[in-house]
Amino acid sequence: MFRRDLRPDSWFFSFLVGSLSRSLFAFAALAKNQTSKGFAPVTIETSRHMYEYVATALDWWHADRYCEQHFAQLLVEPQGNEQASFSKLLHSHHIRGSVWLNERDGVLHKPKRRRNHIVPVLVFGHKTDTKYVKVLSDFPALPAVTACAHLQWDTRTQEIATVFSYAVPAFINEFQLRGFVDEEGFVRFALIVHEHHSPYLPVFRADGQWHHFCVTWQQENGTWAIYADGKRRASASGLCALGSAPQAIYGQGTFIIGQDQDSLGGSFKEKESFSGNITDLHIWQKVLSVEQIEKVRSCWVVEQDLVFRWSSNTLEVESTVQEVTAQFLCPGPVEECRVFEVGSSGFSYASCLQTLPFICLYRKDAYWQLKKAHLESSHSLVGRVNMLAERTVIPESIFTSDVQDMNLSVALGALDVLATVLKERETSVLESSDLLSVLQLLKQVSDVEVQEGEELKMLEQLGQYYVEVTELILEEQNIETWSSVSQVIRGPMAVVELCDKMVSLLAPLLTAGRTKIMVQHGNVGMEVRKLELGKQLTSEAYLVQTSEKDSHDLIEVPAEEMQRLKARGLHKLVVKNMWFGYSSLQRCLSGTDNTVVFQDTPASDGGQKYLSTVVGTAVISTALLSDYQEISTSVRYHLQHHVQDLSNTPVGPICAFWNFSLSPDAGGMWSTSGCSVVTSLPDSTACFCNHTTNFAVLLQVYNMQRTTKEELTLQTLTFIGCGVSFCALIVTFILFLAVGVPKSERTTVHKNLIFALAAAEALLMFSELAKTNQVVCFMITAFLHLFFMAAFSWMLVEGLLLWSKVVAVNMSEDKRMKFYYVTGWGFPVVIVAVTLATSFDKYVADTHCWLNIQTNVIWAFVGPVLFILAVNTFVLFRVVMVTVSSARRRSKMLTPNSSLENQIGIQIWATAKPILVLLPVLGLTWVCGVLVHLSVIWAYVFIVLNSLQGLYIFLVYAVYNSEVRNAIQRMKDKKKALSFTNCSHPINYLSSPRNTTSWETGRPSVAESALSSPVQKDPPVKNITNKGNFGAKIPMGISSIMSPERPAVELTAFKSSVSKQGMLRLFSRRCHPEALQLSSLQWTHEQGRNSGIQE
């Protein structure tokens, strides 16, 4: 394999071969030692857990895999108050020393072992002015740059050596890395940019071993850094031209490995040449992060912004430079893992590659379920597989199996035999132990690491066998078996996790000529594809043909998301897709209560009663990777329903994903965060989610509480009632504006309430017509939310205004009106704006134009409404109490000798009238909505009361309102007065028998008193109120409750004007000018009498 050169300088090439071989033999011996020793675990039982101590020392990766393959987890760090007791517990079982600990935030996401990497290596011998390697690549301008490589340094000389040099016509030393060995045995590096030189700083020891280095530089501030073996050894700023703006490294230059260019592409000097070995040189047009540098060190190439990739085809190698292809052993992970010190009850860190004993942690119920499955096993499947394979493919006991590093051929043979046995077995139902043994084997196969140079056809065949075995164990007849081991495997989604690992193994099959690998068997499918983000970007869809004719499931990344990823600088992506058709997987997920849990609680509108939630579609997933790191992106998916058992049952679709981090003991649960329904049809649902993971459509099953005929009747009643109310409200609003009702706080509040309620009723009538247009429906929903909230807010203002009449409030009328406007319009605007900002994607319901009752959005309406109803209920209670008390006192004063029945009747009427008058304007009829789900009768009551709310307001506050009627009468009288041309009998007009009682005190008007009795005058009547801010008083401005007696509390909210007095003055001016003086005197006298009367 290697060509040996007998010249004196060939010793270094021999050293290269020897070091690589020794590393490989050492690693093979370590792996053999780890997998050949038998384990003798010690079991410790506590109240909640079972601990299994494994004395055989393994590195952290193998220890974690051992526990995982035994359906346990590596010991988690005990809590502070449990450390001492746990240490004593281990001491009591003669356990000493250090044991591995798992990370609480999850396992380490690093390669589980060091990779064998087949790579071309450049071997430079002794120093010479002829050996060089030229990079055949066109370099662009580099505002930032990172260059990384593995190299062995020649320790025979301490002279300066140039690792690489990049020259352009403007600067010969445009970008260069050089170094030397100092007296202390360290290799010191210096970076040159734009002919500016950094200091020489130590980076690694000159020990003749392979080392990895990276150098970074960026135009901004001339910041640079040097990394060696994954750690930053030096960094600073200012490596740029002084006195001018920083410049990028010029493009289109010449890149030479091993020599310093004193002219463009030549003039090499022996004393500055490189002596050693170098491989895996890569160059990026950006500064790599520490995590990315660590990945490059482990032989994983970061694809983003890669300018030069190491390859023999891109190098011009001078004839005296030796180029060999070697199996290079990549460095392992450098991080340290947590260790529990049993003796000291403390914690420390050790290299993850160090071998230590460890403890596997079981949940107690899972452990005994595992034991039960093992004891009840007949071992028929395991025995058959091992007999056909003529070796032990699956151990008879899952408690004694060793952790094994399978290679590709062994894994392929094992799955081939297992698939054959599963298809030919006599009993169609798997035993619990058989299912666990199969899952254990699938875990081992999914951990296979494909080495470079292995036969890739075997890998594709392995994927086909893996999918076939997975489909066989997910057959619906095995649903009872899956349920029996659910505690052990943490739910059936464990098999989805295993398949996700397997589909990642298929990535090496992707080449320039083959950009998609798809494997499907029955109800299980997987796909991996390579994407080039070029000029024309289209959506990437994974489409699967389902068992139903002419139907399919799909998931896709929208084109706009692809454009966004390209704008981030991504050019090459790998997409993983999986699909699990309807099988025992979905039935198990639907059959356990703890897995069907939502972040948003399902709600009912009263027509249907929520029963349960089932997984009604296939489970489909997608993931995008760049440089082996998953990228978050939004997706759309469309899935067919499988509801054969629910054909006559109403269902509500919910877009959801499986969140493994929720309820880890159960293996996760469904979540709806970030997902929404786009379209819903009887047989399928389309969804949108703002992230990638495993998706499905959950169907909420309902029991019909109302028939279709009842629903139609309720809709018809709603439309008719809203139409009548809308017309009544419009007429009332026009009356308030047209007839000249005097302005007051209460009339202003009434007009705002009527406007908001009329707008809401109008939108509600036509909302059904807009549900086919998504944009219009969204706008209708937002305005419905706004105007209904405004209507309720003005109902609250009605209550507050009424309260101000019952309890004295020290606030001027102007300030009160500003507060009322802020409450009536500002409060609803804030609520709607906040709701849209926080829940824009799930704001609208799926089937009609209203707030989504399946999410918490509905509480943005229900919450404030409940608060307003509670406040107004208290206000009404207070008003009723004052009214009843006033009626009782007045009854005793005016009719002290009346019968008990008469007094009771007066009090009942005093109680009933304010309730009847104030219920609709305070919105208290909406309380019936809480009872809608109990019976259809309450639905009729609710619709009749609230859809006719506008008609009720029209009757009470317009038709039977004394002020509106007086205003209309004034208009008539004024028209009649203006039409008189003969003023000979004005006294006939003034002697109208109509009652002209004054609104304020119930006494005859001043004008009438003056005409009928000019000598006798009534003494002034004063309204007595309690002093202070909270004293109860009789509210003024309300029509009589206890007719025909004088009012105690009035409930129309309007002051009537002295119409006859106004007419008297009008007649005085037009027909009897001589009476004008008398009228003025009477008016002045009346004002004096009223000055002491409070409103």
Side-chain angles (χ1 to χ4, degrees):
M1 178 179 179
F2 299 105
R3 182 164 56 89
R4 178 175 294 274
D5 195 333
L6 297 180
R7 290 178 301 175
D9 62 334
S10 65
W11 72 271
F12 203 79
F13 175 64
S14 301
F15 175 78
L16 165 67
V17 176
S19 63
L20 288 174
S21 302
R22 284 193 299 273
S23 300
L24 289 174
F25 284 132
F27 179 75
L30 174 63
K32 181 178 180 181
N33 179 59
Q34 290 175 343
T35 58
S36 63
K37 292 182 180 180
F39 299 125
V42 177
T43 303
I44 305 172
E45 182 177 358
T46 64
S47 60
R48 292 186 302 168
H49 298 101
M50 298 292 294
Y51 298 93
E52 184 181 79
Y53 173 73
V54 182
T56 304
L58 297 176
D59 62 50
W60 190 94
W61 310 108
H62 283 85
D64 182 59
R65 285 173 56 189
Y66 175 91
C67 295
E68 183 183 350
Q69 291 179 10
H70 286 73
F71 306 101
Q73 61 175 326
L74 198 60
L75 177 66
V76 180
E77 175 184 333
Q79 298 295 335
N81 56 353
E82 299 176 354
Q83 295 177 10
S85 59
F86 184 72
S87 183
K88 291 179 181 179
L89 179 64
L90 296 180
H91 265 291
S92 66
H93 289 78
H94 308 288
I95 298 175
R96 305 283 192 278
S98 303
V99 294
W100 285 123
L101 278 179
N102 203 347
E103 297 290 338
R104 280 197 174 272
D105 296 334
V107 299
L108 301 173
H109 298 285
K110 294 292 184 180
K112 291 186 173 62
R113 64 178 185 179
R114 302 169 72 184
R115 300 177 62 240
N116 291 327
H117 183 47
I118 299 177
V119 63
V121 178
L122 299 178
V123 181
F124 292 84
H126 60 276
K127 284 176 166 291
T128 176
D129 59 359
T130 57
K131 293 182 179 181
Y132 74 93
V133 175
K134 182 178 180 180
V135 174
L136 303 177
S137 179
D138 292 331
F139 288 91
L142 301 174
V145 64
T146 300
C148 299
H150 288 92
L151 84 159
Q152 284 180 312
W153 197 271
D154 187 354
T155 59
R156 295 175 299 172
T157 176
Q158 294 184 341
E159 293 181 343
I160 292 177
T162 303
V163 180
F164 62 78
S165 64
Y166 176 74
V168 295
F171 295 104
I172 297 300
N173 295 323
E174 175 69 348
F175 180 47
Q176 185 179 129
L177 179 67
R178 51 200 300 162
F180 69 94
V181 179
D182 64 12
E183 297 178 352
E184 297 178 356
F186 284 94
V187 176
R188 291 176 172 266
F189 274 174
L191 187 64
I192 301 176
V193 177
H194 297 322
E195 297 187 347
H196 290 270
H197 204 297
S198 75
Y200 284 96
L201 297 171
V203 290
F204 57 81
R205 283 197 171 274
D207 51 11
Q209 301 297 320
W210 282 98
H211 293 277
H212 180 262
F213 75 88
C214 287
V215 293
T216 67
W217 178 87
Q218 57 183 340
Q219 176 181 341
E220 184 179 358
N221 298 326
T223 304
W224 60 275
I226 300 177
Y227 295 81
D229 298 326
K231 295 182 179 180
R232 185 166 60 183
R233 305 297 183 180
S235 63
S237 59
L239 192 59
C240 55
L242 299 178
S244 60
Q247 299 290 326
I249 294 176
Y250 291 101
Q252 307 303 317
T254 302
F255 197 102
I256 300 294
I257 302 174
Q259 292 286 355
D260 177 20
Q261 305 175 61
D262 286 342
S263 62
L264 192 61
S267 302
F268 307 139
K269 295 180 181 179
E270 177 182 336
K271 65 178 182 178
E272 295 179 344
S273 63
F274 174 69
S275 177
N277 306 316
I278 190 169
T279 186
D280 254 359
L281 174 66
H282 296 84
I283 303 173
W284 292 266
Q285 193 179 0
K286 70 170 188 175
V287 175
L288 296 185
S289 65
V290 176
E291 293 78 10
Q292 290 174 323
I293 289 175
E294 174 59 23
K295 291 185 61 167
V296 174
R297 176 176 174 267
S298 300
C299 306
W300 299 97
V301 179
V302 175
E303 299 288 347
Q304 184 178 354
D305 295 321
L306 183 64
V307 176
F308 171 71
R309 178 192 292 270
W310 184 251
S311 173
S312 299
N313 299 326
T314 57
L315 299 176
E316 178 186 303
V317 183
E318 194 266 336
S319 58
T320 59
V321 177
Q322 294 178 328
E323 181 184 4
V324 299
T325 301
Q327 191 172 20
F328 181 74
L329 187 60
C330 295
V334 296
E335 71 229 283
E336 296 178 328
C337 297
R338 297 269 291 183
V339 172
F340 179 62
E341 303 293 346
V342 178
S344 61
S345 302
F347 303 98
S348 62
Y349 286 89
S351 171
C352 296
L353 294 176
Q354 184 178 340
T355 58
L356 291 175
F358 56 96
I359 297 175
C360 293
L361 172 65
Y362 295 86
R363 286 180 297 117
K364 198 169 185 178
D365 53 351
Y367 181 84
W368 290 116
Q369 196 176 66
L370 194 61
K371 276 287 188 182
K372 179 182 178 182
H374 173 64
L375 294 175
E376 296 176 353
S377 173
S378 64
H379 304 294
S380 59
L381 178 81
V382 175
R384 178 67 176 161
V385 171
N386 292 336
M387 184 183 69
L388 285 180
E390 297 181 348
R391 63 182 183 86
T392 303
V393 174
I394 304 177
E396 290 190 0
S397 173
I398 57 178
F399 289 100
T400 60
S401 61
D402 296 343
V403 56
Q404 298 181 7
D405 290 327
M406 282 189 173
N407 58 36
L408 193 57
S409 59
V410 173
L412 183 63
L415 287 187
D416 186 9
V417 173
L418 179 58
T420 303
V421 173
L422 288 174
K423 287 185 293 186
E424 297 176 354
R425 68 187 187 277
E426 297 178 358
T427 58
S428 58
V429 180
L430 283 172
E431 295 181 359
S432 299
S433 61
D434 293 337
L435 178 59
L436 292 173
S437 297
V438 172
L439 290 175
Q440 196 173 53
L441 178 61
L442 292 178
K443 286 174 180 284
Q444 294 181 4
V445 173
S446 63
D447 285 329
V448 168
E449 292 195 7
V450 182
Q451 302 296 334
E452 295 184 28
E454 290 189 284
E455 185 60 50
L456 295 183
K457 289 184 179 180
M458 295 173 58
L459 179 59
E460 186 171 2
Q461 187 65 44
L462 180 69
Q464 294 175 353
Y465 285 151
Y466 200 96
V467 170
E468 183 178 0
V469 169
T470 303
E471 198 272 336
L472 289 170
I473 63 176
L474 285 177
E475 291 178 348
E476 292 197 37
Q477 62 264 24
N478 294 322
I479 182 173
E480 295 294 335
T481 308
W482 281 98
S483 299
S484 65
V485 297
S486 59
Q487 296 292 332
V488 176
I489 63 176
R490 293 186 177 89
M493 288 296 287
V495 73
V496 177
E497 285 189 290
L498 295 178
C499 290
D500 183 68
K501 291 183 179 180
M502 183 64 219
V503 73
S504 300
L505 294 179
L506 301 179
L509 294 173
L510 299 173
T511 61
R514 190 180 185 189
T515 59
K516 182 173 72 173
I517 307 296
M518 186 172 181
V519 181
Q520 184 170 347
H521 192 283
N523 278 330
V524 179
M526 58 178 62
E527 179 196 72
V528 59
R529 65 173 65 187
K530 182 169 63 174
L531 295 182
E532 298 279 350
L533 301 183
K535 294 182 179 180
Q536 293 185 351
L537 297 175
T538 59
S539 61
E540 291 295 329
Y542 173 49
L543 189 143
V544 182
Q545 186 71 34
T546 62
S547 56
E548 288 80 7
K549 186 178 180 181
D550 299 330
S551 64
H552 59 269
D553 295 334
L554 70 87
I555 187 168
E556 64 176 351
V557 180
E560 54 269 20
E561 281 295 306
M562 306 298 291
Q563 186 66 45
R564 184 181 64 85
L565 295 176
K566 182 181 178 182
R568 288 174 51 187
L570 302 177
H571 303 293
K572 297 180 180 179
L573 299 175
V574 174
V575 184
K576 299 188 303 182
N577 297 308
M578 293 188 297
W579 175 81
F580 297 87
Y582 201 80
S583 61
S584 58
L585 174 66
Q586 285 81 352
R587 293 188 180 274
C588 289
L589 291 173
S590 302
T592 52
D593 294 335
N594 61 336
T595 56
V596 189
V597 178
F598 306 94
Q599 292 179 338
D600 301 315
T601 305
S604 172
D605 62 355
Q608 301 169 344
K609 181 181 179 181
Y610 170 75
L611 296 179
S612 62
T613 302
V614 298
V615 182
T617 64
V619 175
I620 198 166
S621 70
T622 190
L624 273 69
L625 296 93
S626 175
D627 300 326
Y628 305 96
Q629 294 293 320
E630 189 167 334
I631 301 172
S632 179
T633 182
S634 61
V635 296
R636 290 193 294 257
Y637 62 94
H638 186 275
L639 300 177
Q640 301 294 320
H641 296 173
H642 296 267
V643 288
Q644 293 83 352
D645 300 335
L646 305 172
S647 56
N648 297 321
T649 306
V651 295
I654 293 179
C655 300
F657 70 97
W658 187 262
N659 192 333
F660 288 97
S661 61
L662 296 177
S663 185
D665 289 343
M669 64 175 58
W670 292 110
S671 174
T672 59
S673 177
C675 295
S676 59
V677 176
V678 177
T679 57
S680 179
L681 301 174
D683 60 344
S684 64
T685 297
C687 301
F688 174 85
C689 289
N690 58 12
H691 50 78
T692 56
T693 183
N694 304 292
F695 303 101
V697 175
L698 310 183
L699 301 179
Q700 290 184 331
V701 184
Y702 294 92
N703 180 24
M704 287 295 295
Q705 292 185 305
R706 295 197 292 261
T707 63
T708 305
K709 185 177 180 181
E710 290 173 337
E711 288 287 344
L712 181 60
T713 303
L714 291 172
Q715 290 179 5
T716 305
L717 283 176
T718 302
F719 188 82
I720 295 174
C722 288
V724 172
S725 291
F726 176 74
C727 295
L729 290 169
I730 291 298
V731 172
T732 307
F733 191 77
I734 292 174
L735 282 175
F736 281 3
L737 296 178
V739 302
V741 175
K743 292 184 179 181
S744 66
E745 286 181 314
R746 194 165 290 277
T747 58
T748 303
V749 172
H750 279 334
K751 285 188 285 187
N752 280 277
L753 171 61
I754 291 169
F755 175 78
L757 197 56
E761 300 276 8
L763 289 171
L764 184 61
M765 285 191 295
F766 297 101
S767 61
E768 286 296 311
L769 302 177
K771 64 182 182 181
T772 55
N773 189 311
Q774 188 175 359
V775 177
V776 176
C777 185
F778 189 94
M779 295 178 64
I780 290 289
T781 301
F783 280 110
L784 270 175
H785 189 191
L786 174 64
F787 283 114
F788 268 119
M789 278 305 311
F792 274 98
S793 298
W794 283 107
M795 292 176 195
L796 175 62
V797 172
E798 291 276 4
L800 296 177
L801 184 59
L802 189 58
W803 177 262
S804 69
K805 301 300 181 182
V806 177
V807 177
V809 178
N810 284 338
M811 185 182 294
S812 65
E813 182 175 342
D814 291 340
K815 290 184 178 179
R816 279 204 305 269
M817 285 310 303
K818 289 179 181 179
F819 173 73
Y820 292 158
Y821 273 110
V822 170
T823 304
W825 291 111
F827 182 58
V829 168
V830 170
I831 288 179
V832 174
V834 171
T835 308
L836 287 172
T838 57
S839 305
F840 188 84
D841 294 335
K842 48 186 179 181
Y843 183 72
V844 183
D846 299 328
T847 57
H848 50 274
C849 299
W850 180 235
L851 300 179
N852 193 346
I853 64 172
Q854 306 295 343
T855 65
N856 291 328
V857 172
I858 190 63
W859 287 101
F861 177 73
V862 175
V865 166
L866 291 177
F867 170 75
I868 292 170
L869 295 180
V871 173
N872 283 353
T873 301
F874 177 76
V875 171
L876 179 62
F877 175 77
R878 179 68 170 162
V879 169
V880 170
M881 293 297 293
V882 172
T883 304
V884 171
S885 177
S886 300
R888 185 184 301 114
R889 291 195 303 268
R890 193 167 188 82
S891 175
K892 289 180 180 180
M893 181 179 65
L894 297 178
T895 57
N897 298 324
S898 62
S899 63
L900 180 62
E901 292 79 4
N902 188 29
Q903 293 183 9
I904 293 176
I906 292 174
Q907 293 183 23
I908 291 175
W909 179 238
T911 304
K913 187 167 184 179
I915 293 177
L916 293 175
V917 173
L918 295 176
L919 270 178
V921 77
L922 296 181
L924 298 181
T925 53
W926 283 73
V927 176
C928 298
V930 180
L931 307 175
V932 164
H933 69 283
L934 297 179
S935 172
V936 69
I937 297 176
W938 285 109
Y940 284 109
V941 173
F942 176 75
I943 287 177
V944 170
L945 288 178
N946 292 286
S947 63
L948 298 179
Q949 186 179 8
L951 179 61
Y952 196 95
I953 291 175
F954 169 71
L955 294 175
V956 175
Y957 294 92
V959 175
Y960 296 107
N961 189 307
S962 61
E963 184 168 33
V964 174
R965 294 166 66 184
N966 289 340
I968 295 174
Q969 186 62 43
R970 285 198 304 271
M971 292 179 64
K972 292 180 180 179
D973 293 345
K974 183 177 180 180
K975 184 176 181 181
K976 185 185 297 184
L978 293 175
S979 66
F980 285 159
T981 57
N982 186 2
C983 299
S984 59
H985 303 288
I987 193 65
N988 293 335
Y989 174 79
L990 296 174
S991 61
S992 173
R994 185 165 55 87
N995 181 23
T996 57
T997 307
S998 176
W999 182 88
E1000 285 87 350
T1001 62
R1003 54 185 171 77
S1005 65
V1006 177
E1008 187 176 8
S1009 300
L1011 291 172
S1012 62
S1013 181
V1015 178
Q1016 293 182 350
K1017 295 190 173 105
D1018 293 332
V1021 180
K1022 295 186 178 180
N1023 182 22
I1024 302 174
T1025 60
N1026 293 333
K1027 300 299 181 180
N1029 293 336
F1030 303 103
K1033 68 179 182 178
I1034 299 175
M1036 307 304 294
I1038 309 174
S1039 63
S1040 176
I1041 292 177
M1042 300 182 300
S1043 178
E1045 291 140 354
R1046 292 186 178 181
V1049 179
E1050 301 177 357
L1051 295 171
T1052 59
F1054 298 116
K1055 293 183 179 181
S1056 58
S1057 61
V1058 188
S1059 58
K1060 285 191 176 180
Q1061 178 181 327
M1063 286 299 169
L1064 175 62
R1065 299 186 66 189
L1066 178 64
F1067 277 105
S1068 299
R1069 288 188 179 94
R1070 297 190 58 183
C1071 301
H1072 296 279
E1074 67 278 3
L1076 182 60
Q1077 185 178 4
L1078 173 63
S1079 176
S1080 300
L1081 291 173
Q1082 289 174 338
W1083 179 258
T1084 305
H1085 179 66
E1086 181 189 3
Q1087 289 294 99
R1089 293 184 62 198
N1090 288 341
S1091 62
I1093 300 177
Q1094 295 183 7
E1095 181 181 349

